[in-house]
PDB file of all heavy atoms in Angstrom:
ATOM      1  N   LEU O   1       0.874  -1.153  -0.021  1.00  0.00           N
ATOM      2  CA  LEU O   1       0.057  -0.007   0.029  1.00  0.00           C
ATOM      3  C   LEU O   1       0.911   1.210   0.041  1.00  0.00           C
ATOM      4  O   LEU O   1       1.853   1.304   0.785  1.00  0.00           O
ATOM      5  CB  LEU O   1      -0.807  -0.083   1.239  1.00  0.00           C
ATOM      6  CG  LEU O   1      -2.150  -0.921   1.210  1.00  0.00           C
ATOM      7  CD1 LEU O   1      -2.711  -1.020   2.549  1.00  0.00           C
ATOM      8  CD2 LEU O   1      -3.160  -0.528   0.256  1.00  0.00           C
ATOM      9  N   LYS O   2       0.604   2.259  -0.754  1.00  0.00           N
ATOM     10  CA  LYS O   2       1.338   3.449  -0.864  1.00  0.00           C
ATOM     11  C   LYS O   2       1.411   4.200   0.488  1.00  0.00           C
ATOM     12  O   LYS O   2       2.439   4.695   0.789  1.00  0.00           O
ATOM     13  CB  LYS O   2       0.803   4.420  -1.984  1.00  0.00           C
ATOM     14  CG  LYS O   2       1.099   3.947  -3.369  1.00  0.00           C
ATOM     15  CD  LYS O   2       0.637   4.951  -4.459  1.00  0.00           C
ATOM     16  CE  LYS O   2       1.190   4.498  -5.788  1.00  0.00           C
ATOM     17  NZ  LYS O   2       0.685   5.517  -6.836  1.00  0.00           N
ATOM     18  N   VAL O   3       0.259   4.180   1.192  1.00  0.00           N
ATOM     19  CA  VAL O   3       0.342   4.890   2.484  1.00  0.00           C
ATOM     20  C   VAL O   3       1.299   4.359   3.434  1.00  0.00           C
ATOM     21  O   VAL O   3       1.897   4.923   4.131  1.00  0.00           O
ATOM     22  CB  VAL O   3      -1.107   5.042   3.053  1.00  0.00           C
ATOM     23  CG1 VAL O   3      -1.948   5.955   2.116  1.00  0.00           C
ATOM     24  CG2 VAL O   3      -1.777   3.669   3.222  1.00  0.00           C
ATOM     25  N   GLU O   4       1.356   2.879   3.488  1.00  0.00           N
ATOM     26  CA  GLU O   4       2.310   2.149   4.297  1.00  0.00           C
ATOM     27  C   GLU O   4       3.754   2.325   3.889  1.00  0.00           C
ATOM     28  O   GLU O   4       4.572   2.521   4.710  1.00  0.00           O
ATOM     29  CB  GLU O   4       1.886   0.836   4.474  1.00  0.00           C
ATOM     30  CG  GLU O   4       0.497   0.592   5.064  1.00  0.00           C
ATOM     31  CD  GLU O   4       0.384   1.060   6.474  1.00  0.00           C
ATOM     32  OE1 GLU O   4       1.503   1.217   7.221  1.00  0.00           O
ATOM     33  OE2 GLU O   4      -0.715   1.346   6.949  1.00  0.00           O
ATOM     34  N   SER O   5       3.930   2.300   2.558  1.00  0.00           N
ATOM     35  CA  SER O   5       5.255   2.518   2.012  1.00  0.00           C
ATOM     36  C   SER O   5       5.777   3.885   2.381  1.00  0.00           C
ATOM     37  O   SER O   5       6.824   4.105   2.763  1.00  0.00           O
ATOM     38  CB  SER O   5       5.270   2.442   0.519  1.00  0.00           C
ATOM     39  OG  SER O   5       6.481   2.809  -0.035  1.00  0.00           O
ATOM     40  N   ALA O   6       4.857   4.875   2.156  1.00  0.00           N
ATOM     41  CA  ALA O   6       5.270   6.358   2.641  1.00  0.00           C
ATOM     42  C   ALA O   6       5.565   6.399   4.030  1.00  0.00           C
ATOM     43  O   ALA O   6       6.491   7.163   4.485  1.00  0.00           O
ATOM     44  CB  ALA O   6       4.200   7.385   2.035  1.00  0.00           C
ATOM     45  N   ARG O   7       4.693   5.797   4.855  1.00  0.00           N
ATOM     46  CA  ARG O   7       4.845   5.845   6.293  1.00  0.00           C
ATOM     47  C   ARG O   7       6.314   5.394   6.738  1.00  0.00           C
ATOM     48  O   ARG O   7       7.021   6.004   7.553  1.00  0.00           O
ATOM     49  CB  ARG O   7       3.831   5.040   7.088  1.00  0.00           C
ATOM     50  CG  ARG O   7       3.841   5.334   8.489  1.00  0.00           C
ATOM     51  CD  ARG O   7       3.468   3.907   9.288  1.00  0.00           C
ATOM     52  NE  ARG O   7       2.106   3.573   9.058  1.00  0.00           N
ATOM     53  CZ  ARG O   7       0.948   3.920   9.768  1.00  0.00           C
ATOM     54  NH1 ARG O   7       1.157   4.716  10.734  1.00  0.00           N
ATOM     55  NH2 ARG O   7      -0.166   3.592   9.453  1.00  0.00           N
ATOM     56  N   GLU O   8       6.725   4.288   6.157  1.00  0.00           N
ATOM     57  CA  GLU O   8       8.000   3.614   6.399  1.00  0.00           C
ATOM     58  C   GLU O   8       9.148   4.674   5.997  1.00  0.00           C
ATOM     59  O   GLU O   8      10.132   4.898   6.752  1.00  0.00           O
ATOM     60  CB  GLU O   8       8.163   2.392   5.699  1.00  0.00           C
ATOM     61  CG  GLU O   8       9.399   1.617   6.004  1.00  0.00           C
ATOM     62  CD  GLU O   8       9.539   0.227   5.448  1.00  0.00           C
ATOM     63  OE1 GLU O   8       8.434  -0.313   5.083  1.00  0.00           O
ATOM     64  OE2 GLU O   8      10.529  -0.379   5.393  1.00  0.00           O
ATOM     65  N   THR O   9       8.931   5.260   4.902  1.00  0.00           N
ATOM     66  CA  THR O   9       9.979   6.191   4.472  1.00  0.00           C
ATOM     67  C   THR O   9      10.104   7.464   5.301  1.00  0.00           C
ATOM     68  O   THR O   9      11.205   7.921   5.789  1.00  0.00           O
ATOM     69  CB  THR O   9       9.792   6.677   2.963  1.00  0.00           C
ATOM     70  OG1 THR O   9       9.806   5.505   2.155  1.00  0.00           O
ATOM     71  CG2 THR O   9      10.857   7.688   2.538  1.00  0.00           C
ATOM     72  N   LEU O  10       8.989   7.955   5.614  1.00  0.00           N
ATOM     73  CA  LEU O  10       8.979   9.249   6.390  1.00  0.00           C
ATOM     74  C   LEU O  10       9.410   8.962   7.959  1.00  0.00           C
ATOM     75  O   LEU O  10       9.983   9.884   8.480  1.00  0.00           O
ATOM     76  CB  LEU O  10       7.461   9.855   6.414  1.00  0.00           C
ATOM     77  CG  LEU O  10       6.946  10.200   5.090  1.00  0.00           C
ATOM     78  CD1 LEU O  10       5.564  10.947   5.200  1.00  0.00           C
ATOM     79  CD2 LEU O  10       7.854  11.141   4.343  1.00  0.00           C
ATOM     80  N   ALA O  11       9.150   7.738   8.431  1.00  0.00           N
ATOM     81  CA  ALA O  11       9.529   7.446   9.717  1.00  0.00           C
ATOM     82  C   ALA O  11      11.121   7.331   9.807  1.00  0.00           C
ATOM     83  O   ALA O  11      11.779   7.717  10.741  1.00  0.00           O
ATOM     84  CB  ALA O  11       9.096   6.157  10.190  1.00  0.00           C
ATOM     85  N   ALA O  12      11.788   6.934   8.657  1.00  0.00           N
ATOM     86  CA  ALA O  12      13.223   6.919   8.597  1.00  0.00           C
ATOM     87  C   ALA O  12      13.802   8.442   8.488  1.00  0.00           C
ATOM     88  O   ALA O  12      14.817   8.608   9.006  1.00  0.00           O
ATOM     89  CB  ALA O  12      13.618   6.036   7.401  1.00  0.00           C
ATOM     90  N   VAL O  13      13.045   9.279   7.749  1.00  0.00           N
ATOM     91  CA  VAL O  13      13.441  10.581   7.591  1.00  0.00           C
ATOM     92  C   VAL O  13      13.365  11.395   8.904  1.00  0.00           C
ATOM     93  O   VAL O  13      14.355  12.056   9.326  1.00  0.00           O
ATOM     94  CB  VAL O  13      12.645  11.388   6.519  1.00  0.00           C
ATOM     95  CG1 VAL O  13      12.808  12.809   6.468  1.00  0.00           C
ATOM     96  CG2 VAL O  13      12.973  10.746   5.184  1.00  0.00           C
ATOM     97  N   ASN O  14      12.226  11.182   9.527  1.00  0.00           N
ATOM     98  CA  ASN O  14      12.021  11.997  10.784  1.00  0.00           C
ATOM     99  C   ASN O  14      11.125  11.126  11.720  1.00  0.00           C
ATOM    100  O   ASN O  14       9.823  11.181  11.624  1.00  0.00           O
ATOM    101  CB  ASN O  14      11.432  13.267  10.490  1.00  0.00           C
ATOM    102  CG  ASN O  14      11.302  14.253  11.797  1.00  0.00           C
ATOM    103  OD1 ASN O  14      11.587  13.738  12.961  1.00  0.00           O
ATOM    104  ND2 ASN O  14      11.052  15.442  11.654  1.00  0.00           N
ATOM    105  N   PRO O  15      11.588  10.342  12.694  1.00  0.00           N
ATOM    106  CA  PRO O  15      10.774   9.623  13.543  1.00  0.00           C
ATOM    107  C   PRO O  15       9.960  10.451  14.584  1.00  0.00           C
ATOM    108  O   PRO O  15       9.114   9.952  15.307  1.00  0.00           O
ATOM    109  CB  PRO O  15      11.704   8.675  14.348  1.00  0.00           C
ATOM    110  CG  PRO O  15      13.070   9.406  14.280  1.00  0.00           C
ATOM    111  CD  PRO O  15      13.031  10.226  12.890  1.00  0.00           C
ATOM    112  N   GLY O  16      10.177  11.737  14.604  1.00  0.00           N
ATOM    113  CA  GLY O  16       9.455  12.611  15.486  1.00  0.00           C
ATOM    114  C   GLY O  16       8.235  13.038  15.048  1.00  0.00           C
ATOM    115  O   GLY O  16       7.547  13.804  15.780  1.00  0.00           O
ATOM    116  N   VAL O  17       7.808  12.849  13.900  1.00  0.00           N
ATOM    117  CA  VAL O  17       6.507  13.245  13.282  1.00  0.00           C
ATOM    118  C   VAL O  17       5.539  11.999  13.337  1.00  0.00           C
ATOM    119  O   VAL O  17       5.979  10.907  13.172  1.00  0.00           O
ATOM    120  CB  VAL O  17       6.581  13.853  11.879  1.00  0.00           C
ATOM    121  CG1 VAL O  17       7.525  15.029  11.933  1.00  0.00           C
ATOM    122  CG2 VAL O  17       7.109  12.889  10.870  1.00  0.00           C
ATOM    123  N   ARG O  18       4.242  12.297  13.507  1.00  0.00           N
ATOM    124  CA  ARG O  18       3.265  11.306  13.545  1.00  0.00           C
ATOM    125  C   ARG O  18       2.673  11.116  12.048  1.00  0.00           C
ATOM    126  O   ARG O  18       2.242  12.191  11.546  1.00  0.00           O
ATOM    127  CB  ARG O  18       2.050  11.601  14.543  1.00  0.00           C
ATOM    128  CG  ARG O  18       1.022  10.756  14.545  1.00  0.00           C
ATOM    129  CD  ARG O  18      -0.136  11.243  15.497  1.00  0.00           C
ATOM    130  NE  ARG O  18      -1.216  10.396  15.379  1.00  0.00           N
ATOM    131  CZ  ARG O  18      -1.506   9.345  16.091  1.00  0.00           C
ATOM    132  NH1 ARG O  18      -0.567   8.763  16.907  1.00  0.00           N
ATOM    133  NH2 ARG O  18      -2.627   8.605  15.954  1.00  0.00           N
ATOM    134  N   ILE O  19       2.624   9.846  11.588  1.00  0.00           N
ATOM    135  CA  ILE O  19       2.126   9.693  10.177  1.00  0.00           C
ATOM    136  C   ILE O  19       0.769   8.838  10.392  1.00  0.00           C
ATOM    137  O   ILE O  19       0.669   7.914  11.021  1.00  0.00           O
ATOM    138  CB  ILE O  19       3.019   8.791   9.422  1.00  0.00           C
ATOM    139  CG1 ILE O  19       4.452   9.510   9.220  1.00  0.00           C
ATOM    140  CG2 ILE O  19       2.494   8.714   8.004  1.00  0.00           C
ATOM    141  CD1 ILE O  19       4.387  10.868   8.683  1.00  0.00           C
ATOM    142  N   GLU O  20      -0.353   9.436   9.868  1.00  0.00           N
ATOM    143  CA  GLU O  20      -1.649   8.789   9.945  1.00  0.00           C
ATOM    144  C   GLU O  20      -1.956   8.349   8.529  1.00  0.00           C
ATOM    145  O   GLU O  20      -2.129   9.128   7.600  1.00  0.00           O
ATOM    146  CB  GLU O  20      -2.740   9.785  10.392  1.00  0.00           C
ATOM    147  CG  GLU O  20      -2.440  10.283  11.841  1.00  0.00           C
ATOM    148  CD  GLU O  20      -3.350  11.246  12.460  1.00  0.00           C
ATOM    149  OE1 GLU O  20      -4.090  11.780  11.680  1.00  0.00           O
ATOM    150  OE2 GLU O  20      -3.474  11.438  13.718  1.00  0.00           O
ATOM    151  N   ALA O  21      -1.991   6.962   8.306  1.00  0.00           N
ATOM    152  CA  ALA O  21      -2.275   6.376   6.974  1.00  0.00           C
ATOM    153  C   ALA O  21      -3.677   6.033   6.794  1.00  0.00           C
ATOM    154  O   ALA O  21      -4.396   5.411   7.616  1.00  0.00           O
ATOM    155  CB  ALA O  21      -1.464   5.080   6.908  1.00  0.00           C
ATOM    156  N   HIS O  22      -4.208   6.595   5.716  1.00  0.00           N
ATOM    157  CA  HIS O  22      -5.669   6.352   5.322  1.00  0.00           C
ATOM    158  C   HIS O  22      -5.709   5.681   3.887  1.00  0.00           C
ATOM    159  O   HIS O  22      -5.701   6.374   2.894  1.00  0.00           O
ATOM    160  CB  HIS O  22      -6.429   7.629   5.318  1.00  0.00           C
ATOM    161  CG  HIS O  22      -6.387   8.430   6.498  1.00  0.00           C
ATOM    162  ND1 HIS O  22      -6.911   8.060   7.720  1.00  0.00           N
ATOM    163  CD2 HIS O  22      -5.549   9.515   6.847  1.00  0.00           C
ATOM    164  CE1 HIS O  22      -6.637   8.987   8.708  1.00  0.00           C
ATOM    165  NE2 HIS O  22      -5.819   9.874   8.174  1.00  0.00           N
ATOM    166  N   PRO O  23      -5.721   4.288   3.922  1.00  0.00           N
ATOM    167  CA  PRO O  23      -5.687   3.687   2.593  1.00  0.00           C
ATOM    168  C   PRO O  23      -7.038   3.708   1.946  1.00  0.00           C
ATOM    169  O   PRO O  23      -7.569   2.555   1.677  1.00  0.00           O
ATOM    170  CB  PRO O  23      -5.200   2.254   2.893  1.00  0.00           C
ATOM    171  CG  PRO O  23      -5.674   2.037   4.353  1.00  0.00           C
ATOM    172  CD  PRO O  23      -5.714   3.385   4.999  1.00  0.00           C
ATOM    173  N   VAL O  24      -7.655   4.765   1.689  1.00  0.00           N
ATOM    174  CA  VAL O  24      -8.989   4.942   1.116  1.00  0.00           C
ATOM    175  C   VAL O  24      -9.035   5.870   0.033  1.00  0.00           C
ATOM    176  O   VAL O  24      -8.123   6.757  -0.054  1.00  0.00           O
ATOM    177  CB  VAL O  24      -9.983   5.348   2.268  1.00  0.00           C
ATOM    178  CG1 VAL O  24     -10.082   4.392   3.290  1.00  0.00           C
ATOM    179  CG2 VAL O  24      -9.594   6.765   2.737  1.00  0.00           C
ATOM    180  N   ARG O  25      -9.942   5.777  -0.775  1.00  0.00           N
ATOM    181  CA  ARG O  25     -10.210   6.684  -1.926  1.00  0.00           C
ATOM    182  C   ARG O  25     -11.263   7.731  -1.415  1.00  0.00           C
ATOM    183  O   ARG O  25     -12.334   7.430  -0.947  1.00  0.00           O
ATOM    184  CB  ARG O  25     -10.772   6.045  -3.151  1.00  0.00           C
ATOM    185  CG  ARG O  25     -10.821   6.963  -4.394  1.00  0.00           C
ATOM    186  CD  ARG O  25     -11.263   6.206  -5.629  1.00  0.00           C
ATOM    187  NE  ARG O  25     -10.310   5.241  -5.916  1.00  0.00           N
ATOM    188  CZ  ARG O  25      -9.274   5.414  -6.643  1.00  0.00           C
ATOM    189  NH1 ARG O  25      -8.847   6.633  -6.922  1.00  0.00           N
ATOM    190  NH2 ARG O  25      -8.484   4.378  -6.882  1.00  0.00           N
ATOM    191  N   LEU O  26     -10.899   9.017  -1.497  1.00  0.00           N
ATOM    192  CA  LEU O  26     -11.783   9.985  -0.957  1.00  0.00           C
ATOM    193  C   LEU O  26     -13.047  10.130  -1.796  1.00  0.00           C
ATOM    194  O   LEU O  26     -12.966  10.085  -3.022  1.00  0.00           O
ATOM    195  CB  LEU O  26     -11.116  11.429  -1.031  1.00  0.00           C
ATOM    196  CG  LEU O  26     -10.041  11.738   0.064  1.00  0.00           C
ATOM    197  CD1 LEU O  26      -9.662  13.111   0.049  1.00  0.00           C
ATOM    198  CD2 LEU O  26     -10.609  11.405   1.393  1.00  0.00           C
ATOM    199  N   GLY O  27     -14.121  10.317  -1.178  1.00  0.00           N
ATOM    200  CA  GLY O  27     -15.503  10.419  -1.961  1.00  0.00           C
ATOM    201  C   GLY O  27     -16.429  11.158  -0.985  1.00  0.00           C
ATOM    202  O   GLY O  27     -16.119  11.402   0.135  1.00  0.00           O
ATOM    203  N   PRO O  28     -17.619  11.523  -1.560  1.00  0.00           N
ATOM    204  CA  PRO O  28     -18.554  12.193  -0.854  1.00  0.00           C
ATOM    205  C   PRO O  28     -18.996  11.629   0.539  1.00  0.00           C
ATOM    206  O   PRO O  28     -19.332  12.322   1.468  1.00  0.00           O
ATOM    207  CB  PRO O  28     -19.774  12.241  -1.677  1.00  0.00           C
ATOM    208  CG  PRO O  28     -19.159  12.058  -3.110  1.00  0.00           C
ATOM    209  CD  PRO O  28     -18.032  11.150  -2.892  1.00  0.00           C
ATOM    210  N   GLU O  29     -18.786  10.325   0.718  1.00  0.00           N
ATOM    211  CA  GLU O  29     -19.212   9.598   1.829  1.00  0.00           C
ATOM    212  C   GLU O  29     -18.234   9.718   2.994  1.00  0.00           C
ATOM    213  O   GLU O  29     -18.486   9.379   4.227  1.00  0.00           O
ATOM    214  CB  GLU O  29     -19.452   8.105   1.591  1.00  0.00           C
ATOM    215  CG  GLU O  29     -18.300   7.240   1.348  1.00  0.00           C
ATOM    216  CD  GLU O  29     -17.624   7.436  -0.110  1.00  0.00           C
ATOM    217  OE1 GLU O  29     -18.284   8.223  -0.915  1.00  0.00           O
ATOM    218  OE2 GLU O  29     -16.561   6.834  -0.422  1.00  0.00           O
ATOM    219  N   ASN O  30     -16.853  10.064   2.682  1.00  0.00           N
ATOM    220  CA  ASN O  30     -15.897  10.010   3.763  1.00  0.00           C
ATOM    221  C   ASN O  30     -14.964  11.260   3.832  1.00  0.00           C
ATOM    222  O   ASN O  30     -14.221  11.332   4.772  1.00  0.00           O
ATOM    223  CB  ASN O  30     -14.898   8.673   3.631  1.00  0.00           C
ATOM    224  CG  ASN O  30     -14.329   8.700   2.230  1.00  0.00           C
ATOM    225  OD1 ASN O  30     -14.198   9.647   1.549  1.00  0.00           O
ATOM    226  ND2 ASN O  30     -13.582   7.644   2.070  1.00  0.00           N
ATOM    227  N   ALA O  31     -14.991  12.031   2.782  1.00  0.00           N
ATOM    228  CA  ALA O  31     -14.020  13.145   2.627  1.00  0.00           C
ATOM    229  C   ALA O  31     -14.217  14.260   3.800  1.00  0.00           C
ATOM    230  O   ALA O  31     -13.158  14.567   4.411  1.00  0.00           O
ATOM    231  CB  ALA O  31     -14.074  13.780   1.296  1.00  0.00           C
ATOM    232  N   ALA O  32     -15.377  14.607   4.126  1.00  0.00           N
ATOM    233  CA  ALA O  32     -15.558  15.660   5.020  1.00  0.00           C
ATOM    234  C   ALA O  32     -15.215  15.173   6.468  1.00  0.00           C
ATOM    235  O   ALA O  32     -14.549  16.105   7.114  1.00  0.00           O
ATOM    236  CB  ALA O  32     -17.158  15.965   5.204  1.00  0.00           C
ATOM    237  N   ALA O  33     -15.422  13.989   6.936  1.00  0.00           N
ATOM    238  CA  ALA O  33     -15.029  13.511   8.287  1.00  0.00           C
ATOM    239  C   ALA O  33     -13.416  13.527   8.247  1.00  0.00           C
ATOM    240  O   ALA O  33     -12.809  13.925   9.280  1.00  0.00           O
ATOM    241  CB  ALA O  33     -15.556  12.148   8.454  1.00  0.00           C
ATOM    242  N   LEU O  34     -12.814  13.140   7.104  1.00  0.00           N
ATOM    243  CA  LEU O  34     -11.391  12.951   7.122  1.00  0.00           C
ATOM    244  C   LEU O  34     -10.772  14.350   7.167  1.00  0.00           C
ATOM    245  O   LEU O  34      -9.839  14.624   7.971  1.00  0.00           O
ATOM    246  CB  LEU O  34     -10.898  12.200   5.950  1.00  0.00           C
ATOM    247  CG  LEU O  34      -9.446  11.761   5.868  1.00  0.00           C
ATOM    248  CD1 LEU O  34      -9.093  10.955   7.170  1.00  0.00           C
ATOM    249  CD2 LEU O  34      -9.263  10.912   4.626  1.00  0.00           C
ATOM    250  N   ILE O  35     -11.158  15.249   6.286  1.00  0.00           N
ATOM    251  CA  ILE O  35     -10.650  16.570   6.255  1.00  0.00           C
ATOM    252  C   ILE O  35     -10.821  17.390   7.623  1.00  0.00           C
ATOM    253  O   ILE O  35      -9.951  18.128   7.881  1.00  0.00           O
ATOM    254  CB  ILE O  35     -11.317  17.328   5.098  1.00  0.00           C
ATOM    255  CG1 ILE O  35     -10.967  16.736   3.726  1.00  0.00           C
ATOM    256  CG2 ILE O  35     -10.987  18.844   5.111  1.00  0.00           C
ATOM    257  CD1 ILE O  35     -11.787  17.238   2.485  1.00  0.00           C
ATOM    258  N   GLY O  36     -11.946  17.107   8.310  1.00  0.00           N
ATOM    259  CA  GLY O  36     -12.253  17.838   9.463  1.00  0.00           C
ATOM    260  C   GLY O  36     -11.169  17.695  10.486  1.00  0.00           C
ATOM    261  O   GLY O  36     -11.130  18.512  11.476  1.00  0.00           O
ATOM    262  N   ASP O  37     -10.366  16.582  10.434  1.00  0.00           N
ATOM    263  CA  ASP O  37      -9.421  16.339  11.568  1.00  0.00           C
ATOM    264  C   ASP O  37      -8.112  17.136  11.314  1.00  0.00           C
ATOM    265  O   ASP O  37      -7.112  17.061  12.089  1.00  0.00           O
ATOM    266  CB  ASP O  37      -9.100  14.937  11.579  1.00  0.00           C
ATOM    267  CG  ASP O  37     -10.174  14.056  12.151  1.00  0.00           C
ATOM    268  OD1 ASP O  37     -11.010  14.703  12.988  1.00  0.00           O
ATOM    269  OD2 ASP O  37     -10.284  12.862  11.959  1.00  0.00           O
ATOM    270  N   TYR O  38      -7.912  17.943  10.151  1.00  0.00           N
ATOM    271  CA  TYR O  38      -6.677  18.533   9.753  1.00  0.00           C
ATOM    272  C   TYR O  38      -6.804  19.972   9.691  1.00  0.00           C
ATOM    273  O   TYR O  38      -7.871  20.664   9.494  1.00  0.00           O
ATOM    274  CB  TYR O  38      -6.088  17.886   8.597  1.00  0.00           C
ATOM    275  CG  TYR O  38      -5.704  16.508   8.723  1.00  0.00           C
ATOM    276  CD1 TYR O  38      -6.717  15.435   8.423  1.00  0.00           C
ATOM    277  CD2 TYR O  38      -4.507  15.964   9.138  1.00  0.00           C
ATOM    278  CE1 TYR O  38      -6.482  14.060   8.685  1.00  0.00           C
ATOM    279  CE2 TYR O  38      -4.153  14.714   9.386  1.00  0.00           C
ATOM    280  CZ  TYR O  38      -5.182  13.749   9.153  1.00  0.00           C
ATOM    281  OH  TYR O  38      -4.841  12.397   9.330  1.00  0.00           O
ATOM    282  N   ASP O  39      -5.716  20.593   9.804  1.00  0.00           N
ATOM    283  CA  ASP O  39      -5.570  22.182   9.702  1.00  0.00           C
ATOM    284  C   ASP O  39      -5.489  22.618   8.322  1.00  0.00           C
ATOM    285  O   ASP O  39      -6.039  23.698   7.978  1.00  0.00           O
ATOM    286  CB  ASP O  39      -4.299  22.750  10.484  1.00  0.00           C
ATOM    287  CG  ASP O  39      -4.385  22.273  11.831  1.00  0.00           C
ATOM    288  OD1 ASP O  39      -5.274  22.245  12.622  1.00  0.00           O
ATOM    289  OD2 ASP O  39      -3.136  21.880  12.351  1.00  0.00           O
ATOM    290  N   LEU O  40      -4.945  21.829   7.489  1.00  0.00           N
ATOM    291  CA  LEU O  40      -4.670  22.186   6.134  1.00  0.00           C
ATOM    292  C   LEU O  40      -4.674  20.996   5.216  1.00  0.00           C
ATOM    293  O   LEU O  40      -4.243  19.866   5.583  1.00  0.00           O
ATOM    294  CB  LEU O  40      -3.369  22.993   5.932  1.00  0.00           C
ATOM    295  CG  LEU O  40      -3.008  23.503   4.524  1.00  0.00           C
ATOM    296  CD1 LEU O  40      -2.128  24.809   4.734  1.00  0.00           C
ATOM    297  CD2 LEU O  40      -2.137  22.483   3.790  1.00  0.00           C
ATOM    298  N   VAL O  41      -5.155  21.129   3.980  1.00  0.00           N
ATOM    299  CA  VAL O  41      -5.160  19.958   2.947  1.00  0.00           C
ATOM    300  C   VAL O  41      -4.292  20.285   1.726  1.00  0.00           C
ATOM    301  O   VAL O  41      -4.382  21.379   1.266  1.00  0.00           O
ATOM    302  CB  VAL O  41      -6.608  19.690   2.536  1.00  0.00           C
ATOM    303  CG1 VAL O  41      -6.581  18.480   1.545  1.00  0.00           C
ATOM    304  CG2 VAL O  41      -7.607  19.373   3.689  1.00  0.00           C
ATOM    305  N   ALA O  42      -3.412  19.280   1.423  1.00  0.00           N
ATOM    306  CA  ALA O  42      -2.540  19.487   0.184  1.00  0.00           C
ATOM    307  C   ALA O  42      -2.912  18.498  -0.853  1.00  0.00           C
ATOM    308  O   ALA O  42      -2.918  17.212  -0.515  1.00  0.00           O
ATOM    309  CB  ALA O  42      -1.148  19.354   0.567  1.00  0.00           C
ATOM    310  N   ASP O  43      -3.438  19.007  -1.912  1.00  0.00           N
ATOM    311  CA  ASP O  43      -4.063  18.091  -2.902  1.00  0.00           C
ATOM    312  C   ASP O  43      -2.963  17.593  -3.947  1.00  0.00           C
ATOM    313  O   ASP O  43      -2.470  18.325  -4.694  1.00  0.00           O
ATOM    314  CB  ASP O  43      -5.130  18.719  -3.736  1.00  0.00           C
ATOM    315  CG  ASP O  43      -5.749  17.932  -4.743  1.00  0.00           C
ATOM    316  OD1 ASP O  43      -5.462  16.773  -4.795  1.00  0.00           O
ATOM    317  OD2 ASP O  43      -6.571  18.441  -5.664  1.00  0.00           O
ATOM    318  N   GLY O  44      -2.668  16.249  -3.782  1.00  0.00           N
ATOM    319  CA  GLY O  44      -1.701  15.724  -4.752  1.00  0.00           C
ATOM    320  C   GLY O  44      -2.312  14.614  -5.504  1.00  0.00           C
ATOM    321  O   GLY O  44      -1.721  13.618  -6.065  1.00  0.00           O
ATOM    322  N   SER O  45      -3.648  14.787  -5.705  1.00  0.00           N
ATOM    323  CA  SER O  45      -4.365  13.767  -6.545  1.00  0.00           C
ATOM    324  C   SER O  45      -4.198  13.838  -7.982  1.00  0.00           C
ATOM    325  O   SER O  45      -3.603  14.754  -8.478  1.00  0.00           O
ATOM    326  CB  SER O  45      -5.969  13.895  -6.221  1.00  0.00           C
ATOM    327  OG  SER O  45      -6.337  15.110  -6.728  1.00  0.00           O
ATOM    328  N   ASP O  46      -4.683  12.756  -8.587  1.00  0.00           N
ATOM    329  CA  ASP O  46      -4.442  12.691 -10.091  1.00  0.00           C
ATOM    330  C   ASP O  46      -5.637  12.635 -10.858  1.00  0.00           C
ATOM    331  O   ASP O  46      -5.805  12.091 -12.040  1.00  0.00           O
ATOM    332  CB  ASP O  46      -3.547  11.473 -10.410  1.00  0.00           C
ATOM    333  CG  ASP O  46      -4.262  10.130 -10.026  1.00  0.00           C
ATOM    334  OD1 ASP O  46      -5.236  10.144  -9.455  1.00  0.00           O
ATOM    335  OD2 ASP O  46      -3.612   9.104 -10.387  1.00  0.00           O
TER     336      ASP O  46
END
């Protein structure tokens, strides 16, 4: 999973940051709840 692969790399770069992995596709049914937990959203979607 890309989120787990990224988590492993980032933990090696800086173990002092918390990585929260969400292996889901954003859609109308889940996006609002997920976005609501963060201060800022960075869109790297395709």
Side-chain angles (χ1 to χ4, degrees):
L1 285 167
K2 285 186 176 180
V3 292
E4 295 299 339
S5 171
R7 189 211 297 266
E8 186 173 342
T9 299
L10 300 184
V13 170
N14 189 350
V17 301
R18 175 182 173 85
I19 307 300
E20 298 178 342
H22 308 284
V24 298
R25 186 176 303 281
L26 285 185
E29 72 286 353
N30 62 9
L34 191 56
I35 291 170
D37 287 337
Y38 294 90
D39 303 318
L40 181 149
V41 179
D43 181 11
S45 65
D46 62 356

